[in-house]
Amino acid sequence: MKPMKKITKFILNLTSVGSIVLIATLNASLFPVVGQDIDINIQGGPRTRPGGPRFIQPREDIDDRPPTQPGRPVRGGCASISQLGLTALVPTNKIGRTVFDYPTFFFYLPPTEAESAEFILKDQSGNQIYKQDLTISNVSGVIGVSIPANQNVPPLEVGKSYTWNFTVICDSQDRSSDQIESGTVRRVELSADIRRQLAQADPRQKTVIYAENGIWLDALSTLAAARRDQPNDTALKADWESLLDSVTLGKIAKEPIVQTKPQP
């Protein structure tokens, strides 16, 4: 009888071990991968993030050298009396991506005595392909500059990089005091899977999709348009703050989004 007791005890122990393994397997499935956010997907659509969207810059852009920045004038003249100066709303290395033929660029314009500004876009050979003059008298806040879709402006080409300059003109007779921000925009193409996700998404979800896939300009312009349409939406406000904070622009997140007038 003793051998039978030992066999029975062995079977019971083996069963217990199997139960422990099964429980451990089930419990592990309840936890997200380390370093990975939990998706919120209540109605089966694309995801949003608790805490707001965060931009992830593609590795090749991080490793690339940022464009040469022009020298900045000494504070004074038409320079801002605010602690925040003229700032392009782009990643820290001034390189951003878009999937659009005609993207929109954003800048923070501090209080200034200047009356005009200009935006210039150049191709890889340094040829100017677009210029927009702006009236900025009594304007302060985040402004958008859109490339118009018309026959006189060629669309950005997939796989090519372009440089831009945004300049606040302090003195039209002496341009040495100009305040300038410069950067690079790259036109890229989306995969079929990302296009499918975007087709099902609302503006908040689109912002997340663009941001997580390294498409900075379109994440920002999508969210800015949503905020203009719904300025009192607290969720959009929180998303805006999160997105700008992810590229170290949190101090600008509370500034208003304002309109400027292109000069004729």
Side-chain angles (χ1 to χ4, degrees):
M1 294 300 291
K2 289 184 179 180
M4 181 61 69
K5 288 183 179 180
K6 289 183 179 180
I7 293 172
T8 302
K9 187 176 181 181
F10 174 79
I11 293 173
L12 289 172
N13 288 341
L14 183 62
T15 303
S16 299
V17 171
S19 299
I20 293 171
V21 172
L22 177 60
I23 292 170
T25 303
L26 290 174
N27 286 344
S29 68
L30 299 178
F31 294 95
V33 176
V34 175
Q36 177 178 320
D37 292 328
I38 303 173
D39 290 350
I40 297 177
N41 190 2
I42 297 174
Q43 297 180 341
R47 59 196 180 280
T48 56
R49 293 292 190 207
R54 308 292 292 181
F55 175 67
I56 302 174
Q57 191 166 39
R59 171 55 58 185
E60 54 267 39
D61 289 356
I62 296 174
D63 294 339
D64 202 356
R65 296 181 63 183
T68 302
Q69 296 296 303
R72 293 180 179 275
V74 177
R75 183 177 294 272
C78 74
S80 169
I81 58 175
S82 168
Q83 292 184 348
L84 297 174
L86 175 66
T87 307
L89 272 58
V90 291
T92 53
N93 65 355
K94 311 288 184 171
I95 299 173
R97 295 186 174 201
T98 183
V99 300
F100 292 118
D101 297 347
Y102 300 96
T104 299
F105 301 79
F106 288 86
F107 306 90
Y108 168 68
L109 185 66
T112 176
E113 297 176 2
E115 298 181 352
S116 61
E118 67 180 15
F119 175 86
I120 294 176
L121 183 68
K122 296 181 179 181
D123 63 19
Q124 292 183 197
S125 299
N127 301 313
Q128 179 177 304
I129 60 175
Y130 179 66
K131 179 181 178 183
Q132 184 178 133
D133 296 311
L134 303 160
T135 298
I136 60 171
S137 300
N138 302 315
V139 174
S140 176
V142 174
I143 64 171
V145 179
S146 298
I147 309 289
N150 60 47
Q151 296 180 353
N152 296 324
V153 183
L156 271 61
E157 296 184 43
V158 173
K160 291 190 176 181
S161 297
Y162 301 79
T163 57
W164 51 262
N165 292 330
F166 182 82
T167 306
V168 171
I169 302 172
C170 293
D171 184 350
S172 59
Q173 303 301 315
D174 179 10
R175 298 295 298 272
S176 64
S177 60
D178 285 355
Q179 296 181 323
I180 307 172
E181 280 280 80
S182 299
T184 297
V185 57
R186 289 175 173 159
R187 170 85 191 280
V188 296
E189 192 167 27
L190 293 174
S191 68
D193 179 60
I194 296 176
R195 290 197 299 269
R196 178 187 56 78
Q197 293 180 46
L198 289 168
Q200 304 173 46
D202 64 24
R204 289 190 67 203
Q205 295 164 339
K206 285 181 179 179
T207 300
V208 171
I209 294 168
Y210 282 131
E212 291 186 343
N213 286 281
I215 315 296
W216 170 257
L217 267 69
D218 306 340
L220 193 65
S221 61
T222 298
L223 190 52
R227 289 204 66 203
R228 282 194 295 263
D229 292 340
Q230 303 177 68
N232 298 320
D233 189 303
T234 55
L236 291 173
K237 179 176 180 292
D239 284 356
W240 181 259
E241 292 178 358
S242 176
L243 185 62
L244 289 184
D245 179 70
S246 70
V247 292
T248 68
L249 293 174
K251 292 182 179 180
I252 292 174
K254 297 186 183 301
E255 298 294 330
I257 301 175
V258 297
Q259 299 285 341
T260 56
K261 295 180 179 180
Q263 294 180 1

